[in-house]
């Protein structure tokens, strides 16, 4: 009697091959209905597949010549909490499709993006997702001929490339309008110098809201910022030194808002009684900041899921009715803002 092999859970192709005493390519050929396998070998492999409960997933059924079953995702960093829901959204869709995810961090370096894209253009991947791609990376992707989708497309000459982004302009407009409706007129913005398209759109929305309210733009209230805690902290210290400090601060993202909180705390100023603060992104820790931060929600999980779904369609040779998808943002009102008349200097 043949010895029963102990396998925890459903077996892999490699385990099936080992039990059957054949190669992995042979098992793959059986799974894909190839004719170049002898009948006795085919019957043996199929018997083991049935006995051990191997599941032919959608990816295995759909694999055709030249397909790898792999999808690459390029992220700027792996230790930034902003990107984690995007990663999870991508992983969910690929897991449902039976595809495997290859993850790479580029550390915001365009040369790293280009280098990695170049390494996978030998068709060692079925498609590529890139978060915050540089212009050079987009150009390289378009030359590669591989299916790709951009997440937070930076725009430029390749603006018609398949992409998913969020309504950053509208988010900036809504955040500023919220503060205006509370009665604030001296509203600062932090994040002016970030080159990302989302950052440019957020300050544009901020300016549009002030203009719609009939208020002048005040250059001293538009602060440099690179979307880090440190830049939020430094900008707030400078704002507090102005002859007329703002009564409210719109930080271009939640990380800068955390820096704003730190600076205000060091100066003994209370939020929101002495300074109202609004962020952008709705990172998980904003709910437990003291006080909880009012912010603009960025649908990051949906960014990942939508981009991955689009990529799968491209991999399958389908056309996208909407190659450029824009997902909505919305205000999450918490306890970090109040009318300026309650502010106590």
């Amino acid at each position: 009697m043949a010895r029963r092999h102990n396998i925890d859970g459903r077996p892999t192709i490699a385990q099936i091959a080992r039990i059957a005493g054949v190669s992995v390519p042979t098992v793959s050929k059986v799974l894909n209905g190839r004719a170049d396998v002898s009948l006795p070998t085919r019957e043996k492999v199929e018997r083991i597949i049935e006995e051990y409960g191997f599941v032919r997933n959608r990816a295995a059924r759909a694999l055709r010549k030249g397909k790898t079953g792999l999808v690459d995702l390029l992220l700027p960093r792996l230790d930034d909490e902003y990107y984690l829901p995007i990663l999870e959204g991508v992983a969910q869709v690929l897991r449902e499709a039976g595809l495997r995810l290859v993850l790479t961090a580029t550390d915001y370096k365009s040369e790293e993006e280009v280098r990695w894209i170049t390494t996978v253009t030998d068709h060692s991947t079925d498609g590529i997702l890139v978060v915050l791609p540089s212009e050079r990376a987009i150009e390289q992707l378009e030359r590669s001929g591989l299916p790709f989708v951009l997440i937070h497309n930076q725009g430029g000459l390749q603006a018609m490339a398949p992409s998913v982004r969020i309504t950053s302009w509208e988010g900036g407009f809504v955040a500023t309008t919220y503060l205006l409706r509370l009665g604030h007129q001296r509203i600062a913005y932090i994040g002016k110098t970030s080159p990302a398209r989302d950052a440019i759109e957020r300050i544009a929305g901020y300016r549009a809201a002030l203009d719609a309210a009939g208020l002048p733009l005040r250059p001293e209230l538009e602060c440099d910022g690179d979307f880090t805690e440190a830049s939020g902290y430094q900008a707030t210290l400078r704002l507090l030194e102005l002859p007329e400090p703002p009564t409210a601060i719109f930080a271009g993202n939640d990380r800068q808002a955390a820096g704003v909180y730190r600076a205000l705390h060091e100066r003994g100023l209370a939020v929101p009684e002495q300074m109202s603060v609004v962020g952008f992104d709705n990172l998980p820790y904003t709910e437990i900041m003291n006080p909880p931060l009012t912010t603009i929600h960025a649908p990051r999980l949906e960014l990942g899921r939508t981009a991955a779904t689009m990529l799968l369609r491209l991999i399958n040779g389908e056309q996208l009715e909407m190659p450029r998808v824009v997902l909505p943002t919305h205000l999450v009102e918490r306890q970090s803002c109040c009318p300026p008349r309650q502010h106590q200097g």
Side-chain angles (χ1 to χ4, degrees), residues 24-308:
V24 169
T26 297
V27 176
S28 181
K29 288 177 182 180
V30 173
L31 286 169
N32 288 285
R34 291 268 295 273
D36 52 341
V37 180
S38 68
L39 183 59
T41 299
R42 180 184 302 279
E43 290 177 344
K44 180 179 182 181
V45 171
E46 287 182 341
R47 185 172 64 252
I48 292 170
I49 287 172
E50 182 177 356
E51 179 182 355
Y52 285 90
F54 182 84
V55 176
R56 289 176 170 89
N57 61 31
R58 279 179 286 176
R61 290 197 303 268
L63 275 177
R64 298 184 300 274
K65 186 176 180 180
K67 291 292 179 65
T68 67
L70 303 176
V71 166
D72 278 78
L73 171 61
L74 275 62
L75 289 169
R77 294 186 66 87
L78 300 181
D79 58 354
D80 188 327
E81 61 271 29
Y82 179 85
Y83 301 115
L84 295 181
I86 296 176
L87 169 59
E88 176 57 26
V90 170
Q92 286 177 5
V93 171
L94 296 184
R95 189 161 54 240
E96 292 163 5
L99 299 177
R100 287 185 293 162
L101 177 62
V102 180
L103 190 60
T104 304
T106 60
D107 198 28
Y108 295 96
K109 296 176 181 176
S110 62
E111 60 270 24
E112 281 297 308
E113 293 176 315
V114 172
R115 184 189 66 79
W116 188 259
I117 292 166
T118 302
T119 65
V120 298
T121 52
D122 60 353
H123 296 282
S124 60
T125 187
D126 292 337
I128 306 176
L129 297 162
V130 188
V131 180
L132 283 173
S134 65
E135 295 290 348
R136 288 179 58 199
I138 299 172
E139 291 169 0
Q140 185 70 21
L141 285 167
E142 293 193 322
R143 285 194 295 265
S144 75
L146 282 170
F148 70 90
V149 176
L150 312 175
I151 301 174
H152 287 310
N153 181 15
Q154 298 303 291
L157 297 176
Q158 299 82 14
M160 290 311 296
S163 63
V164 187
R165 59 188 185 89
I166 61 174
T167 54
S168 282
W169 186 95
E170 290 82 352
F173 186 87
V174 167
T176 308
T177 300
Y178 172 74
L179 292 169
L180 289 166
R181 288 177 177 168
L182 286 175
H184 295 278
Q185 294 193 351
R186 291 186 59 79
I187 303 169
Y189 177 82
I190 301 175
K192 181 178 67 173
T193 49
S194 174
R197 174 174 176 165
D198 287 307
I200 294 168
E201 291 185 349
R202 286 171 204 183
I203 192 170
Y206 158 83
R207 289 169 175 168
L210 294 177
D211 184 63
L215 294 174
L217 299 179
R218 300 183 184 275
E220 73 274 14
L221 296 182
E222 294 184 359
C223 302
D224 294 353
D226 59 6
F227 281 28
T228 62
E229 292 90 341
S231 63
Y233 173 78
Q234 294 295 336
T236 303
L237 294 180
R238 289 191 294 271
L239 287 168
L240 296 177
E241 295 300 320
L242 292 173
E244 288 185 80
T247 61
I249 297 175
F250 171 27
N253 73 338
D254 292 339
R255 292 181 66 182
Q256 289 183 144
V260 173
Y261 268 46
R262 177 187 161 201
L264 294 174
H265 177 74
E266 287 184 2
R267 291 299 179 91
L269 298 175
V271 178
E273 292 81 8
Q274 293 167 290
M275 185 72 72
S276 291
V277 184
V278 176
F280 201 115
D281 289 338
N282 194 26
L283 297 181
Y285 62 71
T286 56
E287 292 187 87
I288 58 173
M289 291 173 68
N290 186 21
L293 179 69
T294 293
T295 186
I296 299 293
H297 175 75
R300 294 169 292 143
L301 183 72
E302 292 80 2
L303 275 171
R305 286 192 61 87
T306 302

